[in-house]
Amino acid sequence: MARQKIGRNDPCPCGSGKKYKHCCGPLAEITDITVDPFIRYSNIMTALKLKLEQVNAKDIRKHRRILQSRFVRFAAEKSLPPEHDTIFSDWLWFDVLGDSGHSIGQAYLLENGPYLDQASRSCLEALNQSRLGLYEAIGSSGMHLYLKDLATGAQKRVLLKETLQFDNSDIILLMGRLVELPEDNIFSGMVLMIQDQSLEKAFLSDHMTYLLRLMSDESAEEVLKHNGEMVFGIFNHAQHKTLLKLNDIRFLYHHGTQEEAVERIIAANIGYEPLHHTQGWTWLAADGGLGPYARLVVGPELVLSCADLLDEINSQQAQLSQIWANQPLRLMSSVLYPQPPGVDMMPVWFMVVKDKETERWLDTPHPKDETTPRQIMQQAEGRQSLDALLARFEESREGQEEKELAAYMRERLQSEISSQG
């Protein structure tokens, strides 16, 4: 649609109630300034974002805290540092879909696109299409930095504010929103940077590969556009050098007896031995179950692979694929997978949750004497006192899930008592 001519004193078509010259009109004036592309596009983007904030101020104030919690839910920090607010705001304006099925930026473009000058319209279209990305700096030339996308492998160039001399002596990793404009590419808002000092590059690349495989029915661009909070969370963990707990659960059908399936795992000589037998399932672990949570669990029909960390997830998948070469290993759930387990798998999923909670409880020190339940179990009559404690806890609970958790913990204790003689 052709741009419609609006008088400076006419009501602004965005619906603000102000005159055009005091509202959207200045957007057009910015584009008439003859300056270099970086400054011109930076000014246009800033003006557009201020306009989006102004038009949607009431709605943004109402939902901002909830949306901030959503944005950081995969991060190591559960509160957003003030200096990262521009990263969150870009996600809020250009990625989050409202009830209409459009983002704030898309909705504004649909309603007011015809009244924008060409440069502003092109800039808003590019912002709407942009997404958070993870990049490795691979070179520079004059005012441009050359990047490799860690998720897709695509190479990009981005216009900088000033000349940068980059000699590749260090591996520099970036997270930012790259906006592909008609004249050049430019980062929108803040760009975060870390050096590859403790395998950060491998961490970022491996976790992005994991994310894309989880959602293999979507293109990489769709996954990254729709899950910017996950991209931020992965980078945030790399920044803080903290491991990301993925809570990955997968399953396969072993098509044999439970005893045969357990024997096949032990005979494979991969280091997994029975740890306990609870609720009719045999739980196997390496090194006595010490360290990060990683279990192979065998039931009458299924073998489960349950692990928190990516290395253990990949290792267990490879091991089970060798033992049961013709049986597909299927995803049940993951922190980075938006869909809950199927109804038929919910009891199995909840069983794993109960086992993980039991492991956490066993290693949680009591505030009075700093003794853990696992240590109490080794004391004379310690197992009986823990069993009595859990029985009282179970009786005092009103919620069904809490009752089931306490019952599972008691069964775990009895199982370990029996296995230790």
Coordinates of all heavy atoms in Angstrom, one line a residue, residues 265-331:
I265 N 22.0 -54.4 29.9 CA 22.7 -53.2 30.3 C 24.0 -53.5 31.1 O 25.1 -53.0 30.8 CB 21.8 -52.3 31.1 CG1 20.6 -51.8 30.3 CG2 22.6 -51.1 31.7 CD1 19.6 -50.9 31.0
I266 N 23.9 -54.5 32.0 CA 25.1 -54.9 32.8 C 26.1 -55.5 31.9 O 27.3 -55.3 32.0 CB 24.7 -55.8 34.0 CG1 23.7 -55.0 35.0 CG2 25.9 -56.3 34.7 CD1 23.1 -55.9 36.0
A267 N 25.6 -56.4 31.0 CA 26.5 -57.2 30.1 C 27.3 -56.2 29.1 O 28.3 -56.6 28.6 CB 25.8 -58.3 29.4
A268 N 26.7 -55.1 28.9 CA 27.3 -54.1 27.9 C 28.5 -53.5 28.5 O 29.3 -52.8 27.8 CB 26.3 -53.1 27.5
N269 N 28.8 -53.7 29.8 CA 30.0 -53.2 30.5 C 30.2 -51.7 30.3 O 31.3 -51.3 29.9 CB 31.2 -54.0 29.9 CG 32.4 -53.8 30.9 OD1 32.2 -53.7 32.1 ND2 33.6 -53.9 30.3
I270 N 29.1 -50.9 30.5 CA 29.2 -49.5 30.4 C 29.3 -48.8 31.7 O 29.2 -47.6 31.8 CB 28.0 -48.9 29.6 CG1 26.7 -49.3 30.3 CG2 28.1 -49.4 28.1 CD1 25.5 -48.7 29.6
G271 N 29.4 -49.6 32.8 CA 29.7 -49.0 34.1 C 28.4 -48.8 34.9 O 28.5 -48.3 36.1
Y272 N 27.2 -49.2 34.4 CA 26.0 -49.0 35.2 C 25.6 -50.3 35.9 O 25.7 -51.4 35.4 CB 24.8 -48.7 34.2 CG 24.8 -47.2 33.8 CD1 25.8 -46.8 32.9 CD2 23.9 -46.3 34.3 CE1 25.8 -45.4 32.5 CE2 23.9 -45.0 33.9 CZ 24.9 -44.6 33.0 OH 24.9 -43.2 32.7
E273 N 25.3 -50.1 37.2 CA 25.0 -51.2 38.1 C 23.7 -50.9 38.8 O 23.4 -49.7 39.0 CB 26.1 -51.5 39.1 CG 27.4 -51.9 38.5 CD 27.3 -53.4 37.9 OE1 26.4 -54.1 38.3 OE2 28.2 -53.7 37.1
P274 N 22.9 -51.9 39.2 CA 21.6 -51.6 39.9 C 21.9 -50.8 41.2 O 22.8 -51.1 42.0 CB 21.1 -53.0 40.3 CG 21.7 -53.9 39.2 CD 23.0 -53.3 38.9
L275 N 21.1 -49.8 41.4 CA 21.2 -48.9 42.5 C 20.1 -49.1 43.5 O 20.3 -49.2 44.7 CB 21.1 -47.4 42.1 CG 21.4 -46.3 43.0 CD1 22.9 -46.4 43.5 CD2 21.2 -44.9 42.4
H276 N 18.9 -49.3 43.1 CA 17.7 -49.7 43.9 C 16.6 -50.2 43.0 O 16.6 -50.0 41.8 CB 17.3 -48.5 44.8 CG 16.8 -47.3 44.0 ND1 15.5 -47.1 43.6 CD2 17.5 -46.2 43.6 CE1 15.4 -46.0 42.9 NE2 16.6 -45.4 42.9
H277 N 15.6 -50.8 43.7 CA 14.5 -51.3 43.0 C 13.2 -50.7 43.7 O 12.9 -51.1 44.8 CB 14.4 -52.9 43.0 CG 13.3 -53.4 42.1 ND1 13.5 -53.6 40.8 CD2 12.1 -53.9 42.4 CE1 12.4 -54.2 40.3 NE2 11.5 -54.3 41.3
T278 N 12.6 -49.8 43.0 CA 11.5 -49.0 43.6 C 10.3 -48.9 42.6 O 10.5 -48.7 41.4 CB 12.0 -47.6 44.0 OG1 13.1 -47.7 44.8 CG2 10.9 -46.8 44.7
Q279 N 9.1 -49.2 43.2 CA 7.9 -49.1 42.4 C 7.9 -50.0 41.2 O 7.3 -49.7 40.1 CB 7.5 -47.7 42.0 CG 7.2 -46.8 43.2 CD 6.4 -45.5 42.9 OE1 6.4 -45.1 41.8 NE2 5.7 -45.0 43.9
G280 N 8.6 -51.1 41.3 CA 8.6 -52.1 40.3 C 9.6 -51.8 39.2 O 9.7 -52.6 38.2
W281 N 10.4 -50.8 39.3 CA 11.4 -50.4 38.3 C 12.8 -50.6 38.9 O 13.0 -50.3 40.1 CB 11.2 -48.9 37.9 CG 10.0 -48.7 37.2 CD1 8.7 -48.7 37.7 CD2 9.9 -48.3 35.8 NE1 7.8 -48.4 36.7 CE2 8.5 -48.1 35.5 CE3 10.8 -48.1 34.8 CZ2 8.0 -47.8 34.2 CZ3 10.3 -47.8 33.5 CH2 8.9 -47.6 33.2
T282 N 13.7 -51.0 38.1 CA 15.1 -51.1 38.5 C 15.9 -49.9 38.1 O 15.9 -49.6 36.9 CB 15.8 -52.4 37.9 OG1 15.0 -53.6 38.4 CG2 17.2 -52.5 38.4
W283 N 16.5 -49.2 39.0 CA 17.3 -48.0 38.7 C 18.8 -48.3 38.7 O 19.3 -48.9 39.7 CB 17.0 -47.0 39.8 CG 15.5 -46.6 39.9 CD1 14.5 -47.4 40.4 CD2 14.8 -45.4 39.4 NE1 13.3 -46.8 40.3 CE2 13.5 -45.6 39.7 CE3 15.3 -44.3 38.8 CZ2 12.5 -44.6 39.4 CZ3 14.4 -43.3 38.5 CH2 13.0 -43.4 38.8
L284 N 19.4 -48.0 37.6 CA 20.9 -48.3 37.5 C 21.6 -47.0 37.3 O 21.1 -46.0 36.8 CB 21.1 -49.1 36.2 CG 20.5 -50.5 36.2 CD1 19.2 -50.5 35.4 CD2 21.4 -51.6 35.6
A285 N 22.8 -46.9 37.9 CA 23.7 -45.7 37.8 C 25.1 -46.2 37.8 O 25.5 -47.3 38.2 CB 23.4 -44.8 39.0
A286 N 26.0 -45.3 37.3 CA 27.4 -45.5 37.4 C 28.0 -44.8 38.6 O 27.4 -43.9 39.2 CB 28.1 -44.9 36.1
D287 N 29.0 -45.4 39.2 CA 29.7 -44.8 40.3 C 28.8 -44.7 41.5 O 28.9 -43.7 42.3 CB 30.3 -43.5 40.0 CG 31.3 -43.5 38.8 OD1 32.1 -44.5 38.8 OD2 31.3 -42.6 38.0
G288 N 27.9 -45.6 41.7 CA 27.0 -45.6 42.8 C 26.0 -44.5 42.9 O 25.4 -44.2 43.9
G289 N 25.8 -43.8 41.7 CA 24.8 -42.8 41.7 C 25.4 -41.4 42.2 O 24.6 -40.5 42.3
L290 N 26.7 -41.3 42.4 CA 27.3 -40.1 42.8 C 27.4 -39.1 41.7 O 27.5 -39.5 40.5 CB 28.6 -40.3 43.5 CG 28.6 -41.3 44.7 CD1 30.0 -41.5 45.2 CD2 27.7 -40.7 45.8
G291 N 27.5 -37.8 42.0 CA 27.7 -36.8 40.9 C 26.3 -36.4 40.3 O 25.3 -36.6 40.9
P292 N 26.3 -35.8 39.2 CA 25.1 -35.3 38.5 C 24.1 -36.4 38.3 O 24.5 -37.6 38.1 CB 25.6 -34.7 37.2 CG 27.0 -34.4 37.4 CD 27.5 -35.4 38.4
Y293 N 22.8 -36.1 38.3 CA 21.8 -37.1 38.2 C 21.8 -37.7 36.8 O 21.6 -37.0 35.8 CB 20.4 -36.5 38.5 CG 19.3 -37.6 38.6 CD1 19.0 -38.2 39.8 CD2 18.6 -38.0 37.5 CE1 18.0 -39.1 39.9 CE2 17.6 -38.9 37.6 CZ 17.3 -39.5 38.8 OH 16.3 -40.4 38.9
A294 N 22.1 -39.1 36.7 CA 22.1 -39.8 35.4 C 21.7 -41.2 35.8 O 22.4 -41.9 36.5 CB 23.5 -39.7 34.8
R295 N 20.5 -41.7 35.2 CA 20.0 -43.0 35.6 C 19.5 -43.7 34.3 O 19.0 -43.0 33.4 CB 18.8 -42.9 36.5 CG 19.1 -42.2 37.8 CD 20.0 -43.1 38.8 NE 20.1 -42.4 40.1 CZ 21.1 -41.6 40.4 NH1 22.0 -41.3 39.5 NH2 21.2 -41.1 41.6
L296 N 19.7 -45.0 34.3 CA 19.0 -45.8 33.3 C 18.0 -46.6 34.2 O 18.3 -47.2 35.2 CB 19.9 -46.8 32.6 CG 21.0 -46.1 31.7 CD1 21.9 -47.2 31.1 CD2 20.3 -45.3 30.6
V297 N 16.7 -46.6 33.8 CA 15.7 -47.2 34.6 C 14.9 -48.2 33.7 O 14.5 -47.9 32.6 CB 14.7 -46.1 35.1 CG1 13.8 -46.6 36.2 CG2 15.5 -44.8 35.6
V298 N 14.8 -49.4 34.3 CA 14.2 -50.5 33.5 C 12.9 -50.9 34.2 O 12.8 -51.2 35.4 CB 15.1 -51.7 33.4 CG1 14.5 -52.8 32.6 CG2 16.5 -51.3 32.8
G299 N 11.8 -50.9 33.4 CA 10.5 -51.4 33.8 C 10.1 -52.6 33.0 O 10.8 -53.2 32.2
P300 N 8.8 -53.1 33.2 CA 8.3 -54.2 32.5 C 8.4 -54.1 31.0 O 8.5 -55.1 30.3 CB 6.9 -54.4 33.0 CG 6.9 -53.7 34.4 CD 7.9 -52.6 34.2
E301 N 8.2 -52.9 30.5 CA 8.2 -52.6 29.1 C 9.2 -51.6 28.6 O 9.7 -51.7 27.4 CB 6.8 -52.2 28.6 CG 5.7 -53.1 28.8 CD 4.3 -52.6 28.4 OE1 4.2 -51.3 28.3 OE2 3.4 -53.4 28.0
L302 N 9.6 -50.7 29.4 CA 10.4 -49.6 29.0 C 11.8 -49.5 29.6 O 12.0 -50.0 30.7 CB 9.7 -48.2 29.3 CG 8.3 -48.0 28.8 CD1 7.7 -46.7 29.3 CD2 8.3 -47.9 27.3
V303 N 12.7 -48.9 28.9 CA 14.0 -48.5 29.4 C 14.0 -46.9 29.4 O 13.7 -46.4 28.3 CB 15.2 -49.1 28.7 CG1 16.5 -48.5 29.3 CG2 15.2 -50.6 28.8
L304 N 14.3 -46.3 30.5 CA 14.3 -44.8 30.5 C 15.8 -44.4 30.6 O 16.6 -45.0 31.2 CB 13.6 -44.3 31.7 CG 12.2 -44.7 32.0 CD1 11.6 -44.0 33.2 CD2 11.3 -44.4 30.8
S305 N 16.1 -43.3 29.9 CA 17.3 -42.6 30.0 C 17.0 -41.2 30.7 O 16.3 -40.4 30.1 CB 18.0 -42.4 28.7 OG 19.1 -41.4 28.8
C306 N 17.5 -41.0 31.9 CA 17.2 -39.8 32.6 C 18.5 -39.1 33.0 O 19.4 -39.8 33.7 CB 16.4 -40.1 33.9 SG 15.0 -41.2 33.7
A307 N 18.7 -37.9 32.6 CA 20.0 -37.2 32.9 C 19.8 -35.7 32.9 O 18.9 -35.2 32.2 CB 21.1 -37.6 31.9
D308 N 20.6 -35.0 33.7 CA 20.5 -33.6 33.8 C 21.4 -32.9 32.8 O 21.1 -31.9 32.2 CB 20.9 -33.1 35.2 CG 19.7 -33.2 36.2 OD1 18.6 -33.4 35.7 OD2 19.9 -33.2 37.4
L309 N 22.7 -33.3 32.7 CA 23.7 -32.6 31.9 C 23.8 -33.2 30.5 O 23.7 -34.4 30.3 CB 25.0 -32.6 32.7 CG 25.0 -32.1 34.1 CD1 26.4 -32.1 34.7 CD2 24.4 -30.7 34.2
L310 N 24.2 -32.3 29.6 CA 24.2 -32.7 28.2 C 25.2 -33.9 27.9 O 24.9 -34.7 27.1 CB 24.6 -31.5 27.3 CG 24.5 -31.7 25.8 CD1 23.1 -32.2 25.4 CD2 24.8 -30.4 25.1
D311 N 26.4 -33.9 28.6 CA 27.3 -35.0 28.3 C 26.7 -36.3 28.7 O 26.9 -37.3 27.9 CB 28.6 -34.7 29.1 CG 29.5 -33.6 28.5 OD1 29.2 -33.2 27.4 OD2 30.4 -33.2 29.2
E312 N 26.0 -36.4 29.8 CA 25.4 -37.6 30.3 C 24.2 -38.0 29.3 O 24.0 -39.2 29.1 CB 25.0 -37.5 31.7 CG 26.0 -37.7 32.8 CD 26.9 -36.5 32.9 OE1 26.6 -35.4 32.4 OE2 28.1 -36.7 33.4
I313 N 23.5 -37.0 28.9 CA 22.4 -37.2 28.0 C 22.9 -37.9 26.7 O 22.4 -38.9 26.3 CB 21.7 -35.9 27.7 CG1 21.0 -35.4 28.9 CG2 20.6 -36.1 26.5 CD1 20.4 -34.0 28.7
N314 N 23.9 -37.3 26.1 CA 24.5 -37.8 24.9 C 25.1 -39.2 25.1 O 24.9 -40.1 24.2 CB 25.5 -36.9 24.3 CG 24.9 -35.6 23.8 OD1 23.7 -35.5 23.4 ND2 25.7 -34.5 23.8
S315 N 25.8 -39.4 26.2 CA 26.4 -40.7 26.5 C 25.4 -41.8 26.6 O 25.5 -42.9 26.1 CB 27.3 -40.6 27.7 OG 27.8 -41.8 28.1
Q316 N 24.3 -41.5 27.4 CA 23.3 -42.6 27.6 C 22.6 -42.9 26.3 O 22.2 -44.0 26.1 CB 22.4 -42.1 28.8 CG 23.0 -42.1 30.1 CD 22.1 -41.9 31.3 OE1 22.4 -42.1 32.4 NE2 20.8 -41.5 31.0
Q317 N 22.3 -41.9 25.5 CA 21.6 -42.1 24.3 C 22.5 -43.0 23.4 O 22.0 -44.0 22.8 CB 21.4 -40.8 23.5 CG 20.2 -40.0 24.1 CD 20.0 -38.7 23.3 OE1 19.7 -38.8 22.1 NE2 20.0 -37.6 23.9
A318 N 23.8 -42.7 23.3 CA 24.7 -43.5 22.5 C 24.8 -45.0 23.0 O 24.7 -46.0 22.2 CB 26.1 -42.9 22.5
Q319 N 24.8 -45.1 24.3 CA 24.9 -46.5 24.9 C 23.6 -47.3 24.7 O 23.7 -48.5 24.3 CB 25.2 -46.3 26.4 CG 26.6 -45.8 26.7 CD 26.7 -45.3 28.1 OE1 25.7 -45.1 28.8 NE2 27.9 -45.0 28.5
L320 N 22.5 -46.7 24.9 CA 21.2 -47.4 24.6 C 21.0 -47.7 23.2 O 20.5 -48.8 22.8 CB 20.0 -46.6 25.2 CG 19.9 -46.5 26.7 CD1 18.7 -45.7 27.1 CD2 19.9 -47.9 27.4
S321 N 21.5 -46.8 22.3 CA 21.3 -47.1 20.9 C 22.2 -48.2 20.4 O 21.9 -48.9 19.4 CB 21.7 -45.8 20.1 OG 20.8 -44.8 20.3
Q322 N 23.3 -48.5 21.1 CA 24.1 -49.7 20.8 C 23.5 -51.0 21.4 O 23.5 -52.0 20.7 CB 25.5 -49.5 21.4 CG 26.3 -48.4 20.6 CD 27.8 -48.3 21.2 OE1 28.1 -48.8 22.3 NE2 28.6 -47.7 20.4
I323 N 23.0 -50.9 22.6 CA 22.4 -52.1 23.2 C 21.1 -52.5 22.5 O 20.8 -53.7 22.3 CB 22.1 -51.8 24.7 CG1 23.4 -51.5 25.4 CG2 21.5 -53.0 25.4 CD1 23.3 -51.0 26.8
W324 N 20.2 -51.5 22.1 CA 19.0 -51.8 21.4 C 19.0 -51.0 20.1 O 18.4 -50.0 19.9 CB 17.8 -51.3 22.3 CG 17.4 -52.3 23.3 CD1 16.6 -53.4 23.2 CD2 17.8 -52.2 24.7 NE1 16.5 -54.0 24.4 CE2 17.2 -53.3 25.4 CE3 18.6 -51.3 25.5 CZ2 17.4 -53.5 26.7 CZ3 18.8 -51.6 26.8 CH2 18.2 -52.7 27.4
A325 N 19.8 -51.6 19.2 CA 20.1 -50.9 17.9 C 18.9 -50.6 17.1 O 18.8 -49.7 16.3 CB 21.1 -51.7 17.1
N326 N 17.9 -51.5 17.2 CA 16.7 -51.4 16.4 C 15.5 -50.7 17.0 O 14.4 -50.7 16.5 CB 16.3 -52.8 15.9 CG 17.4 -53.4 15.0 OD1 18.0 -52.7 14.2 ND2 17.6 -54.7 15.2
Q327 N 15.7 -50.2 18.3 CA 14.6 -49.6 19.0 C 14.8 -48.1 19.1 O 15.8 -47.7 19.6 CB 14.5 -50.2 20.4 CG 14.2 -51.7 20.4 CD 12.9 -52.1 19.7 OE1 12.0 -51.3 19.7 NE2 13.0 -53.2 18.9
P328 N 13.9 -47.3 18.6 CA 14.1 -45.8 18.6 C 14.0 -45.3 20.1 O 13.2 -45.7 20.8 CB 13.0 -45.3 17.7 CG 11.9 -46.3 17.8 CD 12.7 -47.7 17.9
L329 N 14.9 -44.4 20.4 CA 14.8 -43.7 21.7 C 14.1 -42.4 21.5 O 14.4 -41.5 20.8 CB 16.3 -43.4 22.2 CG 16.5 -43.0 23.6 CD1 16.0 -44.1 24.6 CD2 17.9 -42.7 23.9
R330 N 13.0 -42.3 22.2 CA 12.0 -41.2 22.0 C 12.1 -40.2 23.2 O 12.3 -40.6 24.4 CB 10.6 -41.7 21.9 CG 10.5 -42.8 20.8 CD 9.1 -43.4 20.8 NE 9.0 -44.6 20.0 CZ 8.0 -45.4 19.8 NH1 6.9 -45.1 20.5 NH2 8.0 -46.4 19.0
L331 N 11.9 -39.0 22.9 CA 11.9 -37.9 23.9 C 10.6 -38.0 24.7 O 9.5 -38.0 24.1 CB 12.0 -36.5 23.3 CG 12.0 -35.3 24.2 CD1 13.3 -35.3 25.1 CD2 11.9 -34.0 23.5

